[in-house]
């Protein structure tokens, strides 16, 4: 029995009891959820300060109120902080006129930290200052980056930082030049607007410093195209970026993840551009009055931002119901894994599609790009999709009970929040307080991931060291 006490994991096996593997550290999912919650609390507190609000917030764009001290109300601050740190872009007060310069800086900081990921940002800061990471920090950061290997994590973190800063800097320079040369902005205003919108675009946040978002630039390719490029690049995911840096000219060496994300991004982009442009081509309130070149530009921009970003150069509330439904699908699928975008992710959708095709064809193994998928990947994809569907259905049903809005409006709002997109049919600020809190929960769940959130909320985790007999029910 000396050996049993020295190796306590053997005892339960010999005694016939289920064996539980206890992790010596907190599960990464719990740390990620807690980190986002802390960031949300800090952001809410900062936005409630009187200095975060303009002296006399106008109420002509969106209704606004202040607390007793002159700052934002707790709900407005919470919703805005959640929308920023979860890189969504839904608003209940006008970003351009309600928040002061300090408040807008807080929002921008939350967007940058939330886009990179709380643990990634914190670990990067530790690497830059202390030049080392502990084991727990490495495990959690690896999980937040999409289960990348912990080997040489410092190099990965620095690579992520270079990608983010590099893309944002290039986009900001283009926007600053356009604002100065095309709109006669003073240099200071041009710099602020260029930097703000570049960071908001790359992080797929959708916040803009204009009351009509980007509708004033609907025909300006020098504003819309750079922002669209930043949204697409941010939605690819850092694992794809890092692999393309090494093997850009040798596609045969790309991993399945990179191939699926790139192929899925191109396919979804083409389908969404054709669908949205065709459905809105003759709509007198959206594409109808524009010249054909403007229709193509606005249709392309609308398709790009629908999947992840949340900017709008067209009035979403004036779009056809058919367009809303198509956008629901594109938003729900979303961007690449470990990216600044949301949704169930392109890879999840691709795996589900491959499973269906294989089952219909009577195959036994699910293959993608001449590689076989592990059974665990099947379960993960199905779990993510079904949890996402359950959250969206529950959220929509709850809002149907507490409001008088139509099903298509509420479904659009809930999917936009869960997929951290930020598009709205214009009802966000009209929802009751409980409805806005529900959207905060949806943004939280969508950003950290339904599986991560569910595992973090689990009271305990155990792994059984035995299997039960197999039996199958009748399916279909």
């Amino acid at each position: 029995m000396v050996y049993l006490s020295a190796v306590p994991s053997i005892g339960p096996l010999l005694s016939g009891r289920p064996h539980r593997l206890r992790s010596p550290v907190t599960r990464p999912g719990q740390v990620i959820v807690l980190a986002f919650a802390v960031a949300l609390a800090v952001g809410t507190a900062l936005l409630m300060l009187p200095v975060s609000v303009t002296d006399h917030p106008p109420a002509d764009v969106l209704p606004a109120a202040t607390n007793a001290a002159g700052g934002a109300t707790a709900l407005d601050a919470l919703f805005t902080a959640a929308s920023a740190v979860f890189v969504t872009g839904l608003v209940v007060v006008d970003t351009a006129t309600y928040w002061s310069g300090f408040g807008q800086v807080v929002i921008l900081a939350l967007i940058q930290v939330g886009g990179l990921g709380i643990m990634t940002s914190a670990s990067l800061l530790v690497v830059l200052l202390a030049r080392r990471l502990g084991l727990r920090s490495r495990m959690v950061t690896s999980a937040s980056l999409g289960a990348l290997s912990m080997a040489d994590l410092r190099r990965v973190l620095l690579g992520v930082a270079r990608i983010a800063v590099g893309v944002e800097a290039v986009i900001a320079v283009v926007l600053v030049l356009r604002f100065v040369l095309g709109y006669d902005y003073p240099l200071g205003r041009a710099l602020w607007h260029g930097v703000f919108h570049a960071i908001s675009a790359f992080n797929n946040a959708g916040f803009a410093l204009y009351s009509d978002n980007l509708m004033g630039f609907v025909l300006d390719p020098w504003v819309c195209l750079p922002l669209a490029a930043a949204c697409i690049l941010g939605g690819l995911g850092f694992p794809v970026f890092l692999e393309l840096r090494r093997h850009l000219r040798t596609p045969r060496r790309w991993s399945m993840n990179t191939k699926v994300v790139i192929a899925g991004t191109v396919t979804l982009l083409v389908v969404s551009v054709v669908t949205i442009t065709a459905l809105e081509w003759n709509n007198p309130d959206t594409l109808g009055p524009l010249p054909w070149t403007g229709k193509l530009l606005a249709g392309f921009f609308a398709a790009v931002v629908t999947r992840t970003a949340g900017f709008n150069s067209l009035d979403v509330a004036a779009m056809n119901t058919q367009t809303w439904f198509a956008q629901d699908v594109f938003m729900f699928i979303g961007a690449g894994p470990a990216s600044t975008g949301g949704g169930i992710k392109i890879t999840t959708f691709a795996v589900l599609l491959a499973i269906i095709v294989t089952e219909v064809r009577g195959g036994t193994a699910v293959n993608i790009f001449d590689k076989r998928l592990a059974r665990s990947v099947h379960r993960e994809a199905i779990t993510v999709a079904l949890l996402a569907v359950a959250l969206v259905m529950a959220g929509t049903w709850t809002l149907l009970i507490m409001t008088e809005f139509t099903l298509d409006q509420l479904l659009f709002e809930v999917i936009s929040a869960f997929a951290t997109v930020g598009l709205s049919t214009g009802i966000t600020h009209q929802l009751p307080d409980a409805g806005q809190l529900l959207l905060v929960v949806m943004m939280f769940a969508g950003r950290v991931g339904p599986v991560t959130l569910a595992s973090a909320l689990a009271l305990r985790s155990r792994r059984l060291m035995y299997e039960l007999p197999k039996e199958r029910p009748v399916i279909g």
Side-chain angles (χ1 to χ4, degrees):
M1 296 301 295
V2 174
Y3 294 102
L4 291 180
S5 61
V7 187
S9 61
I10 298 179
L13 291 179
L14 298 183
S15 64
R17 296 193 304 270
H19 176 61
R20 299 174 185 174
L21 295 179
R22 299 183 182 274
S23 172
V25 297
T26 304
R27 294 195 297 272
Q30 292 179 326
V31 179
I32 293 173
V33 170
L34 179 61
F36 271 108
V38 171
L40 176 60
V42 172
T44 302
L46 290 175
L47 292 179
M48 289 181 65
L49 298 175
V51 70
S52 296
V53 179
T54 54
D55 293 335
H56 301 286
D60 55 339
V61 180
L62 289 179
T66 56
N67 58 33
T73 63
L75 181 58
D76 288 346
L78 173 66
F79 192 96
T80 303
S83 187
V85 79
F86 303 139
V87 290
T88 304
L90 289 173
V91 296
V92 290
V93 293
D94 182 36
T95 306
T97 57
Y98 183 82
W99 301 110
S100 65
F102 177 81
Q104 292 174 358
V105 169
V106 171
I107 291 173
L108 189 64
L110 292 174
I111 290 172
Q112 185 70 88
V113 172
L116 290 179
I118 303 297
M119 295 310 304
T120 303
S121 302
S123 299
L124 178 61
L125 182 63
V126 172
V127 165
L128 294 176
L129 296 179
R131 308 186 71 84
R132 60 175 298 181
L133 284 173
L135 177 60
R136 178 179 297 184
S137 298
R138 290 166 58 121
M139 292 175 62
V140 177
T141 304
S142 177
S144 67
L145 284 172
L148 290 171
S149 172
M150 289 193 295
D152 202 7
L153 192 57
R154 179 177 180 274
R155 179 181 60 81
V156 172
L157 287 171
L158 294 177
V160 168
R162 293 190 190 101
I163 291 169
V165 174
V167 173
E168 291 167 354
V170 171
I171 301 300
V173 169
V174 175
L175 293 178
V176 169
L177 292 175
R178 182 56 179 168
F179 290 144
V180 171
L181 300 177
Y183 296 92
D184 295 325
Y185 281 17
L187 182 59
R189 185 187 181 198
L191 283 171
W192 172 235
H193 280 235
V195 170
F196 186 98
H197 291 96
I199 294 177
S200 182
F202 179 74
N203 290 285
N204 282 262
F207 277 87
L209 296 178
Y210 304 96
S211 297
D212 62 354
N213 205 272
L214 297 178
M215 293 175 62
F217 302 99
V218 63
L219 296 176
D220 192 340
W222 292 101
V223 172
C224 292
L225 292 182
L227 291 177
C231 295
I232 294 172
L233 293 175
L236 290 178
F238 293 113
V240 174
F241 263 115
L242 295 173
E243 186 165 5
L244 291 180
R245 286 178 60 187
R246 297 192 302 268
H247 308 301
L248 179 60
R249 298 183 179 180
T250 54
R252 60 183 178 82
R253 301 183 65 181
W254 292 356
S255 65
M256 179 191 294
N257 180 77
T258 297
K259 292 178 181 178
V260 169
V261 170
I262 292 179
T265 298
V266 173
T267 302
L268 287 173
L269 188 57
V270 172
V271 173
S272 59
V273 169
V274 173
T275 302
I276 294 175
T277 304
L279 291 174
E280 295 297 316
W281 189 268
N282 294 318
N283 187 335
D285 297 318
T286 55
L287 295 182
L290 304 179
W292 70 270
T293 54
K295 291 181 179 181
L296 294 179
L297 174 63
F300 172 77
F301 188 76
V304 171
V305 299
T306 291
R307 284 188 44 242
T308 57
F311 288 118
N312 66 283
S313 63
L314 298 172
D315 185 3
V316 177
M319 289 181 172
N320 297 315
T321 304
Q322 303 94 313
T323 307
W324 285 351
F325 185 78
Q327 290 176 303
D328 289 340
V329 176
F330 298 135
M331 289 190 296
F332 189 76
I333 295 173
S339 71
T340 60
I344 64 171
K345 308 303 182 188
I346 293 173
T347 46
T348 303
F349 179 75
V351 169
L352 293 175
L353 186 61
I355 292 175
I356 293 173
V357 171
T358 302
E359 189 66 26
V360 170
R361 290 180 173 178
T364 56
V366 180
N367 303 317
I368 296 180
F369 290 115
D370 299 323
K371 294 291 182 64
R372 182 171 56 87
L373 290 176
R375 295 285 183 181
S376 59
V377 177
H378 304 185
R379 297 195 302 269
E380 291 171 8
I382 293 172
T383 301
V384 168
L386 290 181
L387 284 177
V389 170
L391 285 170
V392 169
M393 290 179 62
T396 304
W397 178 71
T398 303
L399 289 180
L400 279 171
I401 293 175
M402 65 175 60
T403 71
E404 298 297 326
F405 294 109
T406 61
L407 173 61
D408 51 5
Q409 288 177 307
L410 294 176
L411 179 64
F412 190 99
E413 202 80 10
V414 170
I415 292 179
S416 180
F418 171 78
T420 67
V421 175
L423 292 177
S424 174
T425 59
I427 67 172
T428 310
H429 66 281
Q430 302 178 50
L431 294 175
D433 292 352
Q436 293 181 9
L437 289 175
L438 175 62
L439 292 187
V440 171
V441 174
M442 298 301 297
M443 289 187 281
F444 198 141
R447 183 55 183 151
V448 302
V451 174
T452 301
L453 182 61
S455 64
L457 296 177
L459 296 178
R460 59 185 180 181
S461 177
R462 69 177 188 175
R463 181 181 178 184
L464 298 178
M465 301 302 291
Y466 61 84
E467 291 186 355
L468 298 174
K470 289 183 179 180
E471 187 175 349
R472 57 173 300 169
V474 178
I475 302 295

